[in-house]
Amino acid sequence: MLFLISLLSLFANILSVEAAELTAPIYCNATSQCPEEFPCCSQFGQCGTGQYCINNCNPKFSFSIDSCVPMPVCKDSSTKFDDYSSKVLNADTYLNNASAADWTYSGYLVDYPDEDSMILAMPKNSGGSVLSTTRYMWYGKVSARLKSSHLGGVVSSMILFSNVQDEIDIEFIGADLNTVQTNFYWEGTLNYTNSANMTTSNTFENYHDYEIDWHEDYITWSIDGVVGRTLYKNQTYNETTGIYEFPQTPSRIQISIWPGGNATSAPGTIAWAGGAINWDAPDIQDPGYYYMMVQEANITCYDPPANVKKNGTKSYIYTSNKDFTQDSIMISDKDFVLENSAWTGLNLTEGAKAKPSEAKASSKLSSSHNSTSSASSTAFHNSTSSTMHHNSTLTSITSMFSNSTSQSSTKHASTTSKTSERKSTASKTDPSTLQTTTKSSQSSSTSTSTIRNQKDSNTGAITKLNGLCAIIVAILTALLA
């Protein structure tokens, strides 16, 4: 009898370990590429399908360079963010149909008609919000008229970010409202000498026009039409590698607010962000969140490099994994819209037409994709659909956000805070105009808190394992009775 009990207990432990392994994230990095089953390496270093293959999917660490979905080519656009939140697509359900909208979001959006603008909000203990273009820009000019957030630990930003983590930044530290930080990265390589500052008047109180003008051989950063910094490509030449460490690959534009001073951030990040964030600041009480505001954004596309390979006009694709510079990019006619969240770039490459039921992965997303806490807002979940925008039944925005307890340490999820007069106005905004998702998305390569989509195959296996464990427990109980 004791032998049987021991054997069953051992079997139960084995099943528990198997179940844990099935739910564990699959990480991807320079020494570990994604498996074919979950071939896409997200910008946060985890493998999956669907949205993992769209939103800054990193081809360097994916199963193959065509695992990531082709990138929609740049198109000139001009956006006024007046009464605009309903036109922004939810990044959690977006399948790369760039013709459907110019922008996607993760986090929390609020229309602010008093200033013909849109708020990107960061409720208490959240990761903030991020607004991203649906198309990629391969050299061009982007300008945005916006107000940053404020207070220590709160970071606002406007950046260009590529799939291989080329990056051009304008960032605002809430503790220093007269300084605008500029920075650039090449393929995610951290180089702390790349940063330089510009000065302006209070970025929280005043709208300013911020511009990044990105050419093949130089970049300028400007405020209100005045160039504050110029970087030339020839300044970035690495004599050892023979490579220009200059941002040179197609990038999305992202505007965001995120808690750099969160307790889960690295000490150096907290110090850079102006210290620990105060989650009990007056903004958290009224209107119920930190915030930034964006009023307008304009994108002008430049011609691609003269020697670019062309086999169409629809999408950018990587053709070589040698060094992931601009020489490895082609303009093609490859499709870039996924049929469902189980699809990857490999489906498009093979011309596959898999039915959702035959897919390897579920179209469901984790309800708190970047959360480091199992807790989430009861009020939010009861009032909002995870795939619809206007189902809020709460009577105030403040009550909507007051119960948000999802923790995040990630970069580039945005929020803004305001003066008391503006806060009162914002808190009276009709809650039906509030757009929310349970995912806080970031664009930084330093984030590691995102969780891989749970796959149908894993879910079925876990269900069976849990059932077997329950049977074993029942047998043990009967034997011991």
Side-chain angles (χ1 to χ4, degrees):
M1 177 69 72
L2 291 176
F3 172 76
L4 180 59
I5 292 174
S6 298
L7 186 61
L8 289 173
S9 297
L10 177 62
F11 187 44
N13 288 334
I14 292 173
L15 290 177
S16 297
V17 171
E18 290 293 328
E21 289 179 352
L22 284 171
T23 59
I26 299 175
Y27 294 101
C28 42
N29 50 50
T31 60
S32 179
Q33 290 182 297
C34 291
E36 186 174 9
E37 186 178 10
F38 309 122
C40 300
C41 182
S42 77
Q43 67 190 71
F44 308 112
Q46 295 185 2
C47 301
T49 64
Q51 281 75 13
Y52 282 66
C53 307
I54 297 170
N55 301 321
N56 293 122
C57 173
N58 193 333
K60 295 174 69 174
F61 311 136
S62 294
F63 175 74
S64 62
I65 57 174
D66 54 355
S67 298
C68 299
V69 174
M71 301 165 278
V73 297
C74 188
K75 286 189 177 181
D76 292 354
S77 67
S78 181
T79 305
K80 305 282 189 182
F81 289 98
D82 178 21
D83 192 25
Y84 194 80
S85 64
S86 63
K87 301 173 186 177
V88 186
L89 298 183
N90 184 335
D92 279 349
T93 56
Y94 175 66
L95 293 175
N96 219 33
N97 183 2
S99 299
D102 291 331
W103 299 86
T104 66
Y105 80 101
S106 291
Y108 312 85
L109 302 181
V110 184
D111 285 319
Y112 191 64
D114 288 24
E115 296 185 9
D116 297 331
S117 63
M118 187 171 69
I119 291 171
L120 279 69
M122 184 166 67
K124 184 174 183 177
N125 293 326
S126 75
S129 299
V130 61
L131 190 66
S132 305
T133 55
T134 57
R135 293 185 175 274
Y136 286 70
M137 186 170 77
W138 195 15
Y139 302 118
K141 180 168 61 178
V142 56
S143 64
R145 185 168 180 78
L146 57 83
K147 289 182 179 180
S148 75
S149 191
H150 69 166
L151 302 181
V154 181
V155 182
S156 313
S157 64
M158 180 182 84
I159 72 169
L160 302 180
F161 192 76
S162 85
N163 287 12
V164 295
Q165 299 178 4
D166 285 346
E167 186 172 348
I168 307 172
D169 296 348
I170 290 179
E171 294 182 298
F172 310 87
I173 305 303
D176 185 1
L177 298 177
N178 295 318
T179 300
V180 178
Q181 296 190 7
T182 70
N183 212 337
F184 71 95
Y185 299 92
W186 174 78
E187 295 192 9
T189 302
L190 295 178
N191 185 336
Y192 298 104
T193 66
N194 290 348
S195 180
N197 293 340
M198 302 188 295
T199 58
T200 189
S201 61
N202 192 303
T203 62
F204 172 70
E205 295 287 351
N206 305 310
Y207 282 104
H208 292 286
D209 294 306
Y210 301 96
E211 179 184 278
I212 296 172
D213 194 2
W214 180 32
H215 295 258
E216 189 177 353
D217 53 352
Y218 71 93
I219 304 167
T220 63
W221 290 260
S222 303
I223 302 175
D224 297 329
V226 179
V227 175
R229 181 187 184 186
T230 301
L231 172 75
Y232 293 97
K233 184 175 182 177
N234 59 17
Q235 296 175 264
T236 68
Y237 186 71
N238 186 320
E239 293 184 355
T240 302
T241 62
I243 292 176
Y244 290 95
E245 296 183 348
F246 180 85
Q248 56 194 274
T249 51
S251 302
R252 291 195 302 162
I253 295 100
Q254 298 184 313
I255 299 171
S256 64
I257 179 172
W258 58 281
N262 205 35
T264 52
S265 295
T269 301
I270 295 174
W272 168 78
I277 192 169
N278 179 8
W279 287 119
D280 294 312
D283 288 351
I284 299 299
Q285 308 306 316
D286 181 12
Y289 46 83
Y290 287 110
Y291 60 90
M292 69 178 294
M293 292 191 287
V294 56
Q295 196 172 74
E296 182 178 352
N298 296 287
I299 298 169
T300 302
C301 310
Y302 294 159
D303 291 335
N307 62 344
V308 66
K309 300 173 185 176
K310 291 185 179 181
N311 189 24
T313 59
K314 292 171 55 177
S315 58
Y316 306 120
I317 60 171
Y318 284 93
T319 60
S320 169
N321 58 5
K322 179 182 178 182
D323 51 26
F324 292 97
T325 61
Q326 69 175 27
D327 293 336
S328 65
I329 298 167
M330 172 188 284
I331 300 178
S332 77
D333 266 340
K334 288 191 175 183
D335 291 332
F336 46 76
V337 181
L338 297 179
E339 185 171 298
N340 56 65
S341 289
W343 272 36
T344 72
L346 300 177
N347 293 90
L348 298 176
T349 300
E350 298 166 1
K353 295 295 181 181
K355 297 178 181 178
S357 61
E358 299 171 347
K360 296 177 182 178
S362 167
S363 61
K364 294 181 180 179
L365 291 169
S366 170
S367 63
S368 185
H369 198 61
N370 291 331
S371 174
T372 59
S373 168
S374 60
S376 58
S377 170
T378 302
F380 170 77
H381 284 295
N382 288 341
S383 65
T384 331
S385 166
S386 63
T387 58
M388 300 299 290
H389 296 318
H390 296 295
N391 295 333
S392 173
T393 58
L394 299 182
T395 57
S396 72
I397 294 174
T398 302
S399 64
M400 166 69 80
F401 290 132
S402 62
N403 293 326
S404 177
T405 57
S406 174
Q407 302 292 325
S408 174
S409 63
T410 52
K411 181 179 179 183
H412 294 303
S414 41
T415 191
T416 52
S417 47
K418 311 182 175 184
T419 60
S420 57
E421 179 181 359
R422 287 175 187 146
K423 286 188 290 186
S424 297
T425 306
S427 65
K428 294 176 183 177
T429 304
D430 182 356
S432 67
T433 65
L434 176 68
Q435 295 204 44
T436 57
T437 82
T438 55
K439 171 185 174 185
S440 296
S441 175
Q442 293 72 32
S443 62
S444 169
S445 60
T446 62
S447 171
T448 59
S449 64
T450 54
I451 300 173
R452 178 170 59 95
N453 290 353
Q454 297 303 307
K455 308 298 180 272
D456 277 346
S457 56
N458 284 2
T459 302
I462 292 167
T463 301
K464 292 177 182 178
L465 289 174
N466 288 336
L468 288 172
C469 286
I471 293 172
I472 290 171
V473 170
I475 293 173
L476 290 173
T477 302
L479 291 173
L480 294 173

